[in-house]
C-alpha cells in the first residue's frame, strides 16, 4: 500500500516538471516577441518625430491664419454693422417722407394723431440709428484701420485682398465724416425735428380748459368737481414722446420754451373768458378812485376767479406738465415749467389783492378784506400743495405776504372805525328831533353783520394773529370769542361816548332824553336775539342800553310832562277854600285852561321838534304818559265837581285822545295792547340806516311808569336838578 502512494507522487512530480518546462519555453518565446515589438516602437517613434518636425511649420501657419481671421472679423463686423445702420437710416428716411405726405393730407383728428404717433416712432428710430452710427462709427473705422495697417506691415495676405480692405476703409471713413454730421444737423432728422416742434406746439394749443366758459356769471358758483384733465391719452403720449425726442437731440430749451409759451397763453386766455377787467386797476391810488359798488363787485370776482384759477386752471396745467415733461432729466424740469406758466398769472392776482389791502381804510372795506382773508385761509393747504418744492417758494412767499397785508389792513380798518366813531362826536351836530343818528344805525348794523358766523370767525382769526405777532409766538392768546367780544365792546364804548357827547350838546331840556331814549332803545332792540347780542350777553345789553333807555324815558317824562301835571296841583285852590263858589270856580277854570294850553303847547313841540321813530317804544311812552296825565286831570275835576257842574270842560277821554294824538303823529295807531310791530329783519350785507322799527319781537320796559332804577337814580337826579 505504501508503494502505490509513492508511485502516484512521483507521477505528479513528473507532470509538474513537464509543465514547468513548457512554461519556461513559452516565456522565452514571449520575450523574443516583446523585444521585436520594442524595436518596432523605436522605429515608429523615430518616424513620428521626423513627421512632427516636418508638420510644425504648417501648424504655426494655421494658427497664424486663424488669429488673422479672428482679427479681421473683429474689425469687419463693426464695419458691417455701421453699413447696416446707414441702410436702416436710409429706409427710415424714405418711410418718414411717405408718412409726412400722409400727415399733410389727413384731416381727421384721431387718424392724424395715430399717423403722428407712427411718425414719432420713425423719428425715434431714425434718431436712435443716427446716434448708434455716431457712437460706433469711429471705433469701427479705427479697428478696420488697425487691421489694414497690420496686413500691410506683416504681408499676412495677398496684395489684392489688402488693397480691397484699404479701399473699403477709405470709403467708409469718407462716408462717416461727411454723412454723420449732415444726418444729425442738416439732414432729414433735422427737418423731422422741426416738424415735431410744430406738431408739439399745435397739440399744446388744442388742449383747452373746457369748464371755465360755464362759470362766467357773477352769481354762479364753480362746479363742485370740475374736470382737471387736459387732452386724451393719445395726445399726452405723443407730447411726452416728442418732449423726450427733442430733449435727446439737444433741443430741451426749445421744448421748454414752446411748452411754457403756449400753455401760459392758453391758461391766460381761459381766465380772460371770465372778463377780469378789474385786474387792470391795481395801484392803491387807482383803487381809491373806484366807486364802492364797483370795487365791492371786483373783490367778489377776484375771490371767485382766484379760487377758480387755483382749483381748475393751475391743477390742470400742473398735471399736464407732469405727464408731458415728468420723464425728462429724472423729473427735474416739469415743476419749474409749471411755475413759469403760473407765475405771471398769479402776479396779476397778487398785485390786485395787495392794492386793495394797501388802499384807504374805509369801514365798509372790512367785510371784503375778511372775505379775501378767509378765502386765502381756506385755500392755503391746496395752494401749498400745488406750488410745492423750491421752485414754488417765491409764489408761496408772496401768498403769505398778501395774507399778512390783509391781516394788517383788516385790523386797521376795524380799529380806525372805532376812532372815527369817537372822533365824529364834535364833527356833526346831534339830530335836531332827537331821533337815532345815522352813525348809530350804521355802527350797530355794521357790528351785527360782523358778529355773524360768516365774519366772526375770520375777524377773530385776524385779531388772534395780530395779537400773536405783537406778543410773540410763545404767548398764550385769548380765545377767539373773547378777542372778538372785547374788540366789539371797545367799539360800542366808543359809540356810547359819541352818544353822550352829542347828548350834552342839546340846548332843549327834553331833547337829550328823547335822543338817549331813542338811541339806546334802538341799540338794544337791534342787537337783541342776534349773534351780536349772544356774543355780548343779554345781561350786558340790558345793563348798558335797556336800563339806560328806561332811565332816559323816565327823565323825558319828568321833563316833558312833569310841568304839565304840576299845573293841576290844587294847593293854591285849597288855600282859597273860604271863597265863594264863583271865585273858586274861576280859579279851577283858570287851572284847566292853563293845563289845556300847556297840553297844546307840549303837543305842538312834539309835532315840531320831537320824534320817537320806534313804534313799540312810542306806544309804551304813550301808555305811560296817559297813565300820568289823564288820571291827574280826572282827579282834579272830580275833586272840584261842585264848582265845575254845568261847566264845559273837556272830558278825560278828550284829554286822553289829545295825548294819544301827540304820539300818533297823525297816524291811525291801534289802542294799547291791540297789536305789536312785526319785527324787521336785515338781509344781505348792506347796513341799514333807515327809519325806526323794532326787530326780534318787542321788548317792553320793565317799568312802564319809568321809575328810576337804583343803579342810575343818582345820575338821573343830577340831570333833573340841572
Amino acid at each position: 500500500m505504501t508503494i502505490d502512494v509513492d508511485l502516484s507522487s512521483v507521477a505528479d512530480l513528473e507532470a509538474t516538471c513537464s509543465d514547468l518546462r513548457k512554461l519556461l519555453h513559452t516565456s522565452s518565446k514571449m520575450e523574443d516577441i516583446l523585444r521585436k515589438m520594442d524595436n518596432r516602437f523605436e522605429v515608429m517613434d523615430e518616424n513620428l518625430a521626423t513627421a512632427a518636425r516636418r508638420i510644425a511649420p504648417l501648424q504655426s501657419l494655421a494658427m497664424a491664419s486663424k488669429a488673422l481671421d479672428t482679427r479681421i472679423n473683429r474689425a469687419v463686423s463693426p464695419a458691417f454693422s455701421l453699413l447696416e445702420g446707414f441702410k436702416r437710416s436710409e429706409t427710415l428716411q424714405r418711410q418718414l417722407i411717405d408718412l409726412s405726405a400722409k400727415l399733410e393730407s389727413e384731416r381727421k383728428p384721431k387718424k392724424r394723431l395715430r399717423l403722428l404717433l407712427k411718425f414719432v416712432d420713425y423719428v425715434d428710430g431714425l434718431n436712435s440709428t443716427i446716434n448708434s452710427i455716431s457712437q460706433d462709427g469711429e471705433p469701427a473705422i479705427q479697428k478696420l484701420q488697425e487691421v489694414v495697417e497690420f496686413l500691410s506691415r506683416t504681408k499676412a495676405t495677398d496684395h489684392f485682398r489688402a488693397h480691397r480692405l484699404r479701399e473699403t476703409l477709405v470709403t467708409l471713413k469718407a462716408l462717416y465724416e461727411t454723412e454723420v454730421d449732415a444726418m444729425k444737423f442738416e439732414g432729414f432728422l433735422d427737418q423731422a425735428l422741426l416738424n415735431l416742434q410744430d406738431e408739439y406746439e399745435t397739440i399744446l394749443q388744442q388742449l383747452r380748459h373746457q369748464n371755465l366758459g360755464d362759470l362766467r356769471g357773477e352769481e354762479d358758483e364753480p362746479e363742485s368737481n370740475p374736470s382737471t384733465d387736459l387732452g386724451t391719452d393719445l395726445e399726452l403720449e405723443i407730447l411726452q414722446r416728442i418732449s423726450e425726442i427733442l430733449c435727446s437731440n439737444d433741443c430741451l430749451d426749445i421744448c421748454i420754451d414752446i411748452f411754457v409759451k403756449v400753455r401760459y397763453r392758453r391758461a391766460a386766455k381761459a381766465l380772460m373768458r371770465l372778463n377780469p377787467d378789474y385786474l387792470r386797476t391795481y395801484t392803491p391810488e387807482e383803487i381809491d378812485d373806484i366807486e364802492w359798488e364797483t370795487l365791492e363787485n371786483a373783490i367778489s370776482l377776484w375771490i371767485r376767479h382766484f379760487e377758480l384759477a387755483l382749483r381748475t386752471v393751475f391743477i390742470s396745467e400742473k398735471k399736464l406738465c407732469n405727464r408731458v415733461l415728468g420723464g425728462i432729466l429724472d423729473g427735474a424740469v416739469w415743476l419749474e415749467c409749471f411755475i413759469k406758466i403760473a407765475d405771471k398769472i398769479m402776479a396779476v392776482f397778487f398785485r390786485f389783492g395787495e392794492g386793495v389791502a394797501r388802499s384807504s381804510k374805509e369801514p365798509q372795506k372790512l367785510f371784503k378784506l375778511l372775505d379775501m382773508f378767509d378765502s386765502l385761509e381756506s385755500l392755503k393747504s391746496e395752494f401749498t400743495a400745488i406750488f410745492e418744492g423750491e421752485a414754488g417758494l417765491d409764489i408761496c412767499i408772496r401768498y403769505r405776504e398778501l395774507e399778512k397785508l390783509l391781516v394788517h389792513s383788516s385790523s386797521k380798518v376795524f380799529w380806525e372805525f372805532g376812532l372815527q366813531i369817537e372822533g365824529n362826536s364834535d364833527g356833526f351836530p346831534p339830530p335836531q328831533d332827537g331821533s337815532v343818528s345815522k352813525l348809530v344805525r350804521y355802527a350797530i348794523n355794521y357790528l351785527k353783520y360782523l358778529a355773524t358766523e360768516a365774519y366772526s370767525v375770520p375777524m377773530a382769526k385776524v385779531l388772534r394773529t395780530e395779537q400773536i405777532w405783537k406778543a410773540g409766538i410763545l404767548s398764550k392768546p385769548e380765545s377767539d370769542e373773547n378777542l372778538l367780544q372785547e374788540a366789539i365792546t371797545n367799539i360800542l364804548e366808543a359809540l356810547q361816548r359819541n352818544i353822550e357827547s352829542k347828548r350834552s350838546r342839546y340846548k332843549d331840556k327834553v331833547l337829550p332824553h328823547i335822543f338817549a331814549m331813542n338811541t339806546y332803545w334802538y341799540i338794544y332792540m337791534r342787537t337783541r336775539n342776534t349773534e351780536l347780542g349772544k356774543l355780548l350777553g343779554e345781561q350786558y345789553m340790558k345793563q348798558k342800553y335797556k336800563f339806560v333807555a328806561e332811565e332816559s324815558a323816565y327823565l323825558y317824562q319828568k321833563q316833558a310832562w312833569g310841568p304839565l301835571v304840576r299845573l293841576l296841583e290844587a294847593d293854591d285852590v285849597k288855600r282859597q277854600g273860604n271863597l265863594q263858589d264863583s271865585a273858586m270856580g274861576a280859579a279851577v277854570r283858570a287851572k284847566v285852561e292853563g293845563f289845556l294850553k300847556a297840553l297844546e303847547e307840549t303837543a305842538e313841540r312834539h309835532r315840531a321838534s320831537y320824534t320817537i321813530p320806534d313804534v313799540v317804544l312810542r306806544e309804551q311812552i304813550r301808555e305811560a304818559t296817559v297813565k300820568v296825565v289823564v288820571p291827574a286831570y280826572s282827579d282834579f275835576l272830580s275833586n272840584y265837581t261842585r264848582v265845575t257842574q254845568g261847566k264845559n270842560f273837556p272830558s278825560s277821554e278828550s284829554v286822553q285822545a289829545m295825548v294819544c294824538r301827540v304820539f300818533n303823529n297823525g297816524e291811525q295807531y291801534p289802542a294799547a295792547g291791540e297789536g305789536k310791530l312785526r319785527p324787521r329783519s336785515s338781509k344781505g350785507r348792506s347796513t341799514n340806516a333807515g327809519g325806526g322799527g323794532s326787530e326780534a319781537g318787542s321788548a317792553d320796559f320793565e317799568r312802564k311808569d319809568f321809575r328810576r332804577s337804583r343803579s342810575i337814580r343818582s345820575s338821573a337826579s343830577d340831570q333833573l336838578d340841572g
Side-chain angles (χ1 to χ4, degrees):
M1 188 68 181
T2 307
I3 295 173
D4 290 338
V5 172
D6 293 336
L7 290 175
S8 175
S9 299
V10 172
D12 292 336
L13 290 172
E14 288 178 351
T16 303
C17 182
S18 178
D19 291 337
L20 289 172
R21 287 192 191 97
K22 290 179 181 179
L23 181 60
L24 291 173
H25 181 71
T26 303
S27 298
S28 177
K29 288 182 178 180
M30 182 64 69
E31 185 177 0
D32 292 339
I33 292 170
L34 290 174
R35 190 179 298 112
K36 291 178 181 178
M37 289 180 64
D38 188 44
N39 292 333
R40 285 197 296 271
F41 278 130
E42 288 179 357
V43 173
M44 290 176 63
D45 187 43
E46 290 178 358
N47 291 336
L48 288 173
T50 303
R53 286 194 297 273
R54 292 176 180 175
I55 293 173
L58 295 176
Q59 186 178 9
S60 299
L61 184 62
M63 293 178 63
S65 177
K66 185 176 182 181
L68 181 62
D69 183 64
T70 303
R71 189 164 187 173
I72 292 174
N73 285 338
R74 282 203 302 266
V76 172
S77 294
F80 282 149
S81 299
L82 188 61
L83 292 174
E84 286 296 326
F86 279 112
K87 291 180 181 179
R88 188 164 59 252
S89 172
E90 186 177 356
T91 301
L92 288 171
Q93 289 183 31
R94 287 197 301 268
Q95 291 174 338
L96 284 172
I97 292 172
D98 296 338
L99 198 55
S100 295
K102 292 180 180 179
L103 274 173
E104 290 180 1
S105 61
E106 185 59 53
R107 293 293 178 265
K108 295 181 179 179
K110 291 185 179 180
K111 191 172 182 180
R112 194 175 190 281
L113 285 175
R114 288 193 289 269
L115 288 174
L116 182 57
L117 182 60
K118 194 173 182 181
F119 185 85
V120 171
D121 290 335
Y122 286 165
V123 174
D124 194 16
L126 179 60
N127 181 55
S128 300
T129 301
I130 293 176
N131 288 336
S132 177
I133 293 173
S134 177
Q135 293 174 4
D136 301 338
E138 288 187 5
I141 293 173
Q142 182 66 30
K143 289 179 180 180
L144 189 60
Q145 185 173 358
E146 290 175 357
V147 169
V148 170
E149 291 176 353
F150 174 78
L151 292 176
S152 299
R153 185 175 63 253
T154 59
K155 309 296 182 181
T157 186
D158 58 89
H159 177 72
F160 177 73
R161 291 179 179 177
H163 180 69
R164 287 184 59 188
L165 279 175
R166 190 176 292 107
E167 286 184 346
T168 303
L169 173 63
V170 172
T171 303
L172 190 60
K173 189 174 182 180
L175 179 65
Y176 176 79
E177 290 177 350
T178 57
E179 291 295 325
V180 171
D181 288 342
M183 291 170 63
K184 290 179 66 175
F185 304 112
E186 299 176 4
F188 194 81
L189 177 61
D190 186 63
Q191 184 60 43
L193 291 175
L194 292 175
N195 292 341
L196 285 182
Q197 292 174 20
D198 294 338
E199 296 291 343
Y200 190 68
E201 184 173 356
T202 300
I203 296 176
L204 286 173
Q205 287 177 342
Q206 292 173 351
L207 302 183
R208 301 181 180 181
H209 299 271
Q210 300 294 334
N211 297 309
L212 300 186
D214 300 332
L215 304 175
R216 288 185 298 174
E218 294 183 4
E219 302 301 327
D220 294 340
E221 293 295 330
E223 295 179 9
S224 56
N225 292 304
S227 175
T228 57
D229 295 329
L230 293 173
T232 63
D233 291 338
L234 182 58
E235 288 173 326
L236 297 178
E237 181 183 358
I238 293 172
L239 290 172
Q240 181 183 1
R241 293 283 302 279
I242 294 176
S243 300
E244 293 172 353
I245 291 173
L246 293 176
C247 179
S248 64
N249 284 275
D250 297 328
C251 296
L252 179 59
D253 292 342
I254 297 175
C255 174
I256 292 175
D257 184 65
I258 293 173
F259 190 94
V260 172
K261 178 183 68 175
V262 174
R263 292 317 305 167
Y264 165 72
R265 290 178 179 175
R266 182 53 63 192
K269 191 172 182 179
L271 292 172
M272 286 302 294
R273 289 202 294 267
L274 300 173
N275 298 323
D277 294 333
Y278 61 91
L279 293 175
R280 301 179 188 275
T281 304
Y282 55 87
T283 65
E285 295 76 16
E286 291 175 330
I287 289 175
D288 287 337
D289 293 336
I290 301 176
E291 293 184 2
W292 168 241
E293 291 183 359
T294 304
L295 179 59
E296 186 179 23
N297 183 55
I299 295 174
S300 299
L301 289 175
W302 182 88
I303 294 171
R304 286 198 293 271
H305 293 172
F306 189 92
E307 179 180 349
L308 184 63
L310 190 68
R311 290 179 171 171
T312 59
V313 176
F314 292 144
I315 286 181
S316 300
E317 293 297 337
K318 186 177 181 181
K319 286 183 178 180
L320 181 63
C321 286
N322 188 19
R323 181 73 182 272
V324 175
L325 303 174
I328 297 176
L329 300 181
D330 297 328
V333 174
W334 72 271
L335 193 55
E336 291 185 3
C337 291
F338 165 66
I339 298 300
K340 288 181 180 179
I341 293 169
D343 184 59
K344 292 181 181 179
I345 298 175
M346 289 305 305
V348 175
F349 279 104
F350 283 144
R351 72 183 185 184
F352 178 82
E354 292 164 356
V356 172
R358 291 191 173 102
S359 62
S360 61
K361 305 302 183 285
E362 298 173 356
Q364 67 270 20
K365 287 184 180 177
L366 175 62
F367 300 106
K368 283 303 175 183
L369 290 171
L370 291 177
D371 284 339
M372 294 171 70
F373 173 75
D374 192 42
S375 176
L376 292 184
E377 279 290 296
S378 64
L379 295 173
K380 183 182 291 185
S381 59
E382 296 177 60
F383 192 92
T384 305
I386 292 174
F387 298 100
E388 59 183 319
E390 186 177 354
L393 184 60
D394 290 340
I395 293 181
C396 289
I397 289 175
R398 195 163 181 185
Y399 186 89
R400 289 193 293 271
E401 289 299 321
L402 177 57
E403 272 198 304
K404 289 181 181 179
L405 274 177
L406 291 172
V407 168
H408 284 303
S409 299
S410 300
S411 60
K412 190 171 183 179
V413 168
F414 182 76
W415 296 122
E416 285 191 2
F417 178 57
L419 295 176
Q420 290 174 8
I421 289 175
E422 196 154 8
N424 178 264
S425 58
D426 297 328
F428 298 95
Q432 297 303 309
D433 56 357
S435 60
V436 182
S437 66
K438 291 183 179 180
L439 175 63
V440 172
R441 297 177 188 275
Y442 182 86
I444 294 303
N445 285 292
Y446 188 92
L447 295 177
K448 275 177 59 182
Y449 198 45
L450 183 62
T452 59
E453 185 178 358
Y455 292 105
S456 60
V457 175
M459 188 68 229
K461 190 176 293 185
V462 164
L463 295 172
R464 184 179 71 249
T465 304
E466 186 186 35
Q467 187 184 58
I468 291 174
W469 287 347
K470 290 180 178 179
I473 193 71
L474 299 179
S475 63
K476 294 182 179 180
E478 300 180 29
S479 65
D480 289 356
E481 184 176 354
N482 289 341
L483 282 172
L484 186 60
Q485 183 183 38
E486 182 180 355
I488 290 180
T489 300
N490 290 335
I491 299 294
L492 286 174
E493 289 176 355
L495 183 63
Q496 189 170 12
R497 288 192 291 271
N498 179 282
I499 294 169
E500 293 301 322
S501 174
K502 291 186 182 299
R503 181 180 183 179
S504 64
R505 295 173 64 185
Y506 283 108
K507 295 180 180 180
D508 187 289
K509 293 183 178 181
V510 178
L511 272 175
H513 310 309
I514 294 179
F515 172 71
M517 176 183 65
N518 284 332
T519 302
Y520 289 119
W521 181 253
Y522 175 87
I523 293 174
Y524 176 73
M525 291 302 296
R526 283 284 175 170
T527 56
R528 185 169 175 257
N529 297 329
T530 65
E531 289 88 345
L532 178 59
K534 294 175 183 177
L535 179 66
L536 298 174
E538 179 66 19
Q539 187 61 35
Y540 174 87
M541 297 306 299
K542 283 184 177 181
Q543 186 70 31
K544 297 289 289 185
Y545 303 109
K546 186 180 180 184
F547 293 165
V548 179
E550 291 173 354
E551 182 64 25
S552 299
Y554 167 78
L555 295 175
Y556 154 75
Q557 181 179 315
K558 195 79 171 176
Q559 191 70 42
W561 299 98
L564 185 65
V565 174
R566 285 196 293 272
L567 289 176
L568 296 177
E569 291 178 355
D571 294 342
D572 53 347
V573 177
K574 290 178 179 179
R575 286 195 296 270
Q576 300 177 12
N578 55 351
L579 298 178
Q580 297 179 354
D581 289 345
S582 59
M584 184 176 292
V588 169
R589 185 165 50 252
K591 284 277 188 181
V592 173
E593 289 176 354
F595 170 80
L596 294 176
K597 182 179 179 181
L599 177 60
E600 185 62 32
E601 292 175 352
T602 301
E604 184 61 29
R605 280 197 303 272
H606 276 74
R607 283 193 292 269
S609 304
Y610 306 153
T611 298
I612 304 176
D614 188 275
V615 179
V616 176
L617 176 62
R618 191 165 64 243
E619 177 186 353
Q620 295 181 13
I621 293 295
R622 183 190 65 182
E623 292 177 0
T625 303
V626 167
K627 289 181 180 179
V628 170
V629 175
V630 175
Y633 180 75
S634 299
D635 292 344
F636 182 81
L637 292 183
S638 62
N639 289 336
Y640 298 100
T641 305
R642 179 172 56 84
V643 296
T644 58
Q645 288 181 352
K647 305 296 182 180
N648 190 18
F649 292 124
S651 64
S652 299
E653 290 76 11
S654 299
V655 172
Q656 180 175 350
M658 291 177 66
V659 173
C660 289
R661 282 198 298 273
V662 169
F663 296 100
N664 286 352
N665 289 337
E667 302 171 3
Q668 294 297 324
Y669 194 79
E674 290 183 5
K676 296 291 184 181
L677 182 66
R678 180 175 296 179
R680 183 177 61 188
S681 62
S682 177
K683 296 183 179 180
R685 301 186 175 188
S686 61
T687 55
N688 181 11
S694 299
E695 60 178 313
S698 61
D700 294 337
F701 282 120
E702 293 180 357
R703 293 167 291 278
K704 283 294 186 67
D705 54 354
F706 307 114
R707 293 180 181 175
R708 289 172 291 178
S709 60
R710 297 177 185 175
S711 61
I712 52 178
R713 183 175 300 168
S714 59
S715 63
S717 300
D718 294 340
Q719 292 191 42
L720 279 174
D721 294 339

